[in-house]
Amino acid sequence: MEETSREAVATAVQRVAGMLQRSDQLDKVEQYRRREARKKASVEARLKAAIQSQLDGVRTGLTQLHSALLDVKDIQSSLADVSKDWRQSINTIENLKDVKDAVVQHSQLASAVENLKNIFSVPEIVADTQQLIEQAELLQAHRKLMELECSRDDLMYEQYRMDSKNTKLFPTRLRPQVQGLSDELAKQLWMVLQRAMVTVRRDPTMLVSVVRIIEREEKIDRRMVDRKKQTGFIPPGRPKQWKDKMFKVLEGTVSTRIESTQAVTREADKMWLVRLLEITRKYVQDDLIVVKNLMVQCFPPHYNTYNRFFLLYHNAVSTRVTELASEDLEANEIVSLLTWVLNTYKSEEMMGHPELSSECDVHQLEPLLPQAVVDELLSKYVKTFTSLMFTWTRSNITGWLRKALETDKKDWQKETEPEADQDGYYQTTLPAIVFQMFEQNLQVAAQIDSDFREQVLKLCLKQMNSFLVRYREEAVTYKDEHLRDRQLPQCYVQYMIAIINNCQTFRESINSLKRKYSQLSEPTESDAAIERTLSEVAKEGCQFLLDEVFLDLEHHLNELLTKKWLSGSHAVDTICVTVEDYFNDFNKIKKPFNQEMTSEALRRVVVEYIKAVMQKRITFRNADERKEGAERMIKEADQFKFLFRKLAAGEDTDQLCGAIAAIAEVFKLTDPTLLFLEVSTLVSKYPDIREEHIQALLAVRGDASREMRQMIIGTLSENKQYLITCSTLLIPGLT
């Protein structure tokens, strides 16, 4: 205490010394004294208040402790009274044992009476439920099953609650029958889920019913688990956990779907892996689109159905690809697998498809193959590739091309039309398969060396030229086989169009490969040969299609410039309708072949028409017939002109059709003395007309005497202009 006083005095002295450091501060001593007095009074007041508060708290605590002591004494007295009463009532409780047994029996009998209807109707309900399951009425079957389970659970709970050893009230047949129905219903549910992809297209209500049943069972499971926490009782077979089993079934279904994509083995088809990967790509993409558009609507939102299926398919594909990587793959198969895994899988062709990637980020997926496996495959490939590349590539590409062509030839015999690209043009898978193989070899070659890549590209182009020659030969054979029986194949026209379109696809793909893998800008011999062969295949294909058209027109062309034609034949109408009908299919031909084909069709129609004139099928007997025939020719020339303008045949339409009209003018002339001038005009307009053509025209006209014919021909022959053959034939093929 003394030390504290000394410290306080020292502090006060220090403060006073600080206040009176200057002489002018002595005048403020009284002011300082009053300020310090106020501070002292304030501190003393706060101290007194604090002490008073502490004293009040102590007083309150003592009062509460006294009250608690009195309460404890009262409780102690009450417990003593209770203990006394309990000792006195032991004998009374033992005397109520009979009442207790009666209560237990009454409770059991009450439960039995409550479920008496179900107990006696168990066989009938079981039979009805079994029938409903067999009839696929799953919701109704589940409702009856829940009634049976509810009766069973209530009876068993009463036995459990009363701890009774008397099982006479419990129907021994109910438990196994109910469990059997539950298992049978579960089998039906799993079967529907295993066929979920088919079911959701044909009968989505069935899938919805299955999900509703599983949701009901999940609610019952939760209720039974909660009751177990309260009572310790849970019915047999609970929790069923059908929701977890459903996801396991769906996972197994997806795995089976992916594993079933292998249709052939290496021994049966060297391209087995390419086909397997393509089928897998198509299955996964199609199935996920179905899941997104249809299946998501059949499951509750909290299932996160699409993301779940997206991961299921990814994991299944990853497992399958890992299995493939562990097999003893050949070099080209390693290329196919790695290209598919590293490029195709996450591209727009598969998991990155716009319809799929909008819901899930494909870049967040784990790699299909671990990097160590990828490196191991690349190392294995490079070891075998470097030493045997050229020999292997040549034989491998040749074999692959031959196999691809054989497969494409089989497709030509199908009764269904070929697939169309995004622009509606017919095509087959041949170009895609061929250039996928080229691309794979070039990708690996590029990783080895740039010079080696150029060598492989040259080899690919050389093999491509040989392949196109065989492709041309097979197209000719295809046409010859069709001509033996024009009813077969049923889609001859469509597949011939696809062959023509493939030429354009080949050309574009070759240019793409050269831009991507070659640094050479100058064309090579292979480039010219490939371009020449592609043009020949396309032109011959167009020619084959036009031959098909003119085979159908042959009968009607033979009617032109005959007596039947003059009397009112509809041959030209039929010709126009037939040509237009064929060109509805020919619209599926890519440019520039469709334009060239339309122009060639016009030329052939005009040639056939003029041939009919030159063959002298009819001789007009008088001026009326000549006028009628000439007007008919002019009308039909206009029909051809209208048709081929509609088909966009090009600028030659008017000139070619004008040849028919010009010949008609020769026939239409009524004054024979002007015939020489009319023929001269025709010859000057079409200088490739020969002497025999003029003789034929005069013979058809029918009113020119021998002397007149000789005079006209002789006079025209004297003029050298008519002996010069025009370098550009306006009406080729008249002979």
Side-chain angles (χ1 to χ4, degrees):
M1 188 67 179
E2 293 178 357
E3 183 178 357
T4 303
S5 299
R6 285 195 299 271
E7 289 179 357
V9 170
T11 301
V13 170
Q14 186 177 2
R15 290 189 62 188
V16 170
M19 293 177 184
L20 302 176
Q21 290 181 355
R22 299 189 305 275
S23 59
D24 59 339
Q25 291 178 329
L26 294 175
D27 297 337
K28 300 179 180 179
V29 169
E30 186 62 25
Q31 181 180 349
Y32 292 153
R33 187 184 63 77
R34 288 196 299 271
R35 185 176 65 185
E36 292 301 322
R38 287 197 299 273
K39 288 183 179 180
K40 178 181 177 183
S42 174
V43 171
E44 289 177 350
R46 289 199 301 272
L47 182 61
K48 289 180 181 179
I51 293 174
Q52 184 63 39
S53 175
Q54 290 292 332
L55 291 175
D56 292 342
V58 170
R59 187 181 299 106
T60 302
L62 291 174
T63 303
Q64 290 176 348
L65 286 173
H66 180 70
S67 299
L69 179 62
L70 295 178
D71 291 340
V72 168
K73 290 181 179 179
D74 292 340
I75 291 170
Q76 186 177 10
S77 176
S78 298
L79 287 174
D81 294 339
V82 169
S83 177
K84 181 178 178 182
D85 293 340
W86 179 75
R87 290 190 183 91
Q88 293 176 353
S89 62
I90 289 177
N91 295 332
T92 304
I93 292 173
E94 291 178 354
N95 294 333
L96 294 175
K97 183 178 180 181
D98 294 338
V99 176
K100 179 181 178 182
D101 293 341
V103 169
V104 171
Q105 186 176 8
H106 179 271
S107 178
Q108 291 178 338
L109 290 173
S111 297
V113 170
E114 184 177 351
N115 295 280
L116 194 60
K117 179 180 179 181
N118 290 337
I119 293 174
F120 284 111
S121 60
V122 165
E124 180 181 353
I125 297 176
V126 169
D128 291 344
T129 306
Q130 185 68 40
Q131 185 177 4
L132 290 171
I133 293 174
E134 293 173 355
Q135 294 174 354
E137 299 289 342
L138 302 182
L139 283 175
Q140 297 185 35
H142 185 250
R143 180 175 57 79
K144 289 185 174 294
L145 176 63
M146 287 193 299
E147 293 176 359
L148 290 173
E149 288 181 336
C150 183
S151 299
R152 177 200 64 183
D153 297 345
D154 288 347
L155 291 172
M156 295 187 69
Y157 175 68
E158 287 299 328
Q159 288 183 320
Y160 175 84
R161 187 169 65 87
M162 298 304 176
D163 193 23
S164 173
K165 296 181 181 180
N166 181 15
T167 60
K168 293 182 181 180
L169 293 175
F170 182 72
T172 57
R173 293 183 303 170
L174 185 58
R175 178 172 177 176
Q177 288 177 334
V178 172
Q179 188 61 42
L181 287 176
S182 179
D183 295 341
E184 186 66 26
L185 179 60
K187 289 180 181 179
Q188 293 296 320
L189 299 182
W190 310 148
M191 287 176 61
V192 172
L193 290 171
Q194 288 168 356
R195 299 193 299 268
M197 288 298 172
V198 178
T199 304
V200 77
R201 292 184 179 98
R202 296 181 179 176
D203 186 11
T205 56
M206 176 66 74
L207 188 59
V208 172
S209 298
V210 170
V211 176
R212 288 179 60 188
I213 291 171
I214 292 173
E215 280 294 289
R216 288 178 184 174
E217 290 294 337
E218 283 296 302
K219 291 180 180 178
I220 296 174
D221 280 350
R222 289 193 294 270
R223 189 166 66 248
M224 292 303 171
V225 170
D226 292 341
R227 188 165 75 172
K228 180 183 180 182
K229 293 177 181 178
Q230 297 175 1
T231 64
F233 171 77
I234 191 167
R238 292 288 180 186
K240 293 184 179 181
Q241 297 180 330
W242 278 6
K243 183 177 178 181
D244 294 339
K245 292 179 182 178
M246 174 185 69
F247 290 130
K248 290 182 180 179
V249 170
L250 291 175
E251 182 178 358
T253 301
V254 171
S255 298
T256 303
R257 175 79 164 162
I258 299 302
E259 292 171 359
S260 65
T261 54
Q262 183 167 349
V264 293
T265 59
R266 181 186 294 117
E267 292 73 17
D269 187 351
K270 289 185 179 180
M271 298 173 63
W272 67 276
L273 184 58
V274 174
R275 294 188 179 280
L276 184 150
L277 295 174
E278 175 60 20
I279 293 172
T280 301
R281 182 197 67 79
K282 185 171 179 57
Y283 278 10
V284 171
Q285 189 180 84
D286 292 348
D287 288 356
L288 287 177
I289 289 176
V290 170
V291 170
K292 178 182 177 182
N293 296 331
L294 298 177
M295 194 172 292
V296 168
Q297 304 173 17
C298 300
F299 289 83
H302 65 273
Y303 276 32
N304 202 10
T305 305
Y306 180 74
N307 288 338
R308 187 181 293 273
F309 270 93
F310 199 83
L311 291 177
L312 286 179
Y313 273 95
H314 173 73
N315 294 335
V317 172
S318 178
T319 301
R320 182 61 177 142
V321 168
T322 303
E323 293 173 356
L324 291 172
S326 65
E327 296 183 9
D328 186 17
L329 297 177
E330 297 178 356
N332 63 321
E333 294 169 350
I334 294 175
V335 174
S336 299
L337 183 63
L338 289 179
T339 302
W340 194 86
V341 168
L342 301 177
N343 298 331
T344 305
Y345 183 71
K346 290 187 178 182
S347 70
E348 291 187 0
E349 297 178 11
M350 194 170 176
M351 304 300 274
H353 190 278
E355 277 199 71
L356 305 181
S357 58
S358 60
E359 298 291 335
C360 292
D361 187 1
V362 67
H363 300 292
Q364 298 297 323
L365 294 174
E366 293 292 328
L368 278 182
L369 285 177
Q371 188 60 41
V373 177
V374 174
D375 294 341
E376 182 181 352
L377 288 174
L378 282 174
S379 175
K380 177 182 177 182
Y381 178 78
V382 172
K383 287 179 182 178
T384 58
F385 186 84
T386 305
S387 60
L388 302 174
M389 179 61 187
F390 239 67
T391 303
W392 173 84
T393 302
R394 183 180 291 105
S395 60
N396 185 55
I397 290 177
T398 303
W400 199 330
L401 290 174
R402 185 184 302 110
K403 192 68 177 179
L405 183 55
E406 291 297 325
T407 303
D408 206 53
K409 284 168 55 181
K410 292 179 182 178
D411 291 342
W412 297 351
Q413 307 298 327
K414 289 182 178 180
E415 297 180 358
T416 56
E417 295 183 356
E419 295 181 357
D421 64 11
Q422 59 185 3
D423 296 320
Y425 297 120
Y426 287 137
Q427 64 178 5
T428 66
T429 58
L430 181 62
I433 293 174
V434 168
F435 283 94
Q436 181 184 17
M437 183 264 295
F438 286 165
E439 181 84 21
Q440 291 169 357
N441 283 278
L442 287 167
Q443 283 179 352
V444 177
Q447 296 178 6
I448 297 175
D449 183 67
S450 60
D451 293 336
F452 189 65
R453 180 194 63 202
E454 291 286 351
Q455 294 178 12
V456 173
L457 178 59
K458 291 180 181 179
L459 176 62
C460 290
L461 294 178
K462 184 177 179 181
Q463 293 294 325
M464 185 66 196
N465 187 43
S466 302
F467 167 76
L468 289 175
V469 172
R470 292 194 299 273
Y471 190 54
R472 177 186 178 187
E473 294 170 353
E474 293 298 341
V476 173
T477 303
Y478 182 54
K479 181 265 298 185
D480 293 338
E481 291 176 352
H482 170 69
L483 292 180
R484 296 190 190 100
D485 182 358
R486 293 188 62 210
Q487 302 300 319
L488 297 174
Q490 294 184 9
C491 295
Y492 167 78
V493 172
Q494 289 79 6
Y495 277 98
M496 186 59 71
I497 291 173
I499 291 172
I500 296 170
N501 289 338
N502 284 348
C503 293
Q504 184 65 16
T505 306
F506 280 134
R507 180 180 289 118
E508 294 170 354
S509 300
I510 289 171
N511 292 334
S512 175
L513 282 182
K514 290 168 62 179
R515 287 193 301 270
K516 188 173 182 180
Y517 293 103
S518 178
Q519 297 178 349
L520 302 177
S521 58
E522 298 180 358
T524 63
E525 294 181 3
S526 296
D527 296 337
I530 289 173
E531 182 64 29
R532 184 170 56 253
T533 307
L534 284 173
S535 297
E536 290 173 353
V537 174
K539 288 180 179 178
E540 288 180 357
C542 293
Q543 192 68 34
F544 297 158
L545 290 176
L546 288 179
D547 290 343
E548 185 75 6
V549 176
F550 281 88
L551 282 173
D552 286 346
L553 298 179
E554 184 176 4
H555 172 71
H556 305 291
L557 291 170
N558 289 335
E559 286 186 10
L560 296 176
L561 275 295
T562 61
K563 291 182 178 180
K564 181 179 179 181
W565 168 80
L566 187 61
S567 62
S569 170
H570 296 287
V572 171
D573 294 335
T574 306
I575 290 170
C576 291
V577 170
T578 304
V579 170
E580 185 172 10
D581 181 60
Y582 267 102
F583 270 83
N584 286 333
D585 285 336
F586 297 163
N587 285 333
K588 306 288 186 179
I589 299 177
K590 291 183 177 180
K591 295 180 180 180
F593 306 125
N594 57 354
Q595 180 68 36
E596 295 173 359
M597 189 170 180
T598 308
S599 300
E600 178 63 16
L602 170 60
R603 190 196 68 82
R604 287 185 63 171
V605 167
V606 173
V607 167
E608 291 296 330
Y609 198 100
I610 297 177
K611 275 185 179 181
V613 176
M614 300 307 170
Q615 290 172 358
K616 297 179 284 189
R617 299 174 184 174
I618 188 175
T619 300
F620 298 123
R621 294 175 296 185
N622 51 53
D624 291 338
E625 285 190 357
R626 285 191 291 274
K627 180 180 179 182
E628 182 181 353
E631 290 177 350
R632 189 173 185 85
M633 290 176 66
I634 294 172
K635 175 185 175 184
E636 291 172 349
D638 290 338
Q639 284 183 260
F640 291 142
K641 189 184 300 183
F642 175 79
L643 170 64
F644 284 98
R645 280 179 177 173
K646 182 178 179 181
L647 298 178
E651 299 177 355
D652 294 338
T653 304
D654 291 347
Q655 187 173 7
L656 289 172
C657 294
I660 300 175
I663 294 173
E665 291 297 331
V666 175
F667 295 152
K668 190 177 181 181
L669 185 65
T670 57
D671 187 355
T673 60
L674 300 177
L675 187 58
F676 173 76
L677 293 176
E678 193 66 40
V679 173
S680 299
T681 302
L682 178 64
V683 173
S684 63
K685 192 173 183 180
Y686 301 99
D688 58 328
I689 294 180
R690 296 195 296 274
E691 179 180 328
E692 57 267 28
H693 299 151
I694 297 174
Q695 289 178 344
L697 291 178
L698 296 176
V700 173
R701 181 176 168 83
D703 64 343
S705 63
R706 175 180 292 183
E707 293 77 10
M708 182 180 291
R709 291 199 297 269
Q710 290 176 351
M711 183 272 293
I712 293 174
I713 293 173
T715 304
L716 293 175
S717 299
E718 292 175 358
N719 192 339
K720 291 183 180 181
Q721 178 184 355
Y722 302 102
L723 300 177
I724 299 174
T725 302
C726 186
S727 59
T728 305
L729 297 180
L730 298 178
I731 315 178
L734 288 178
T735 57

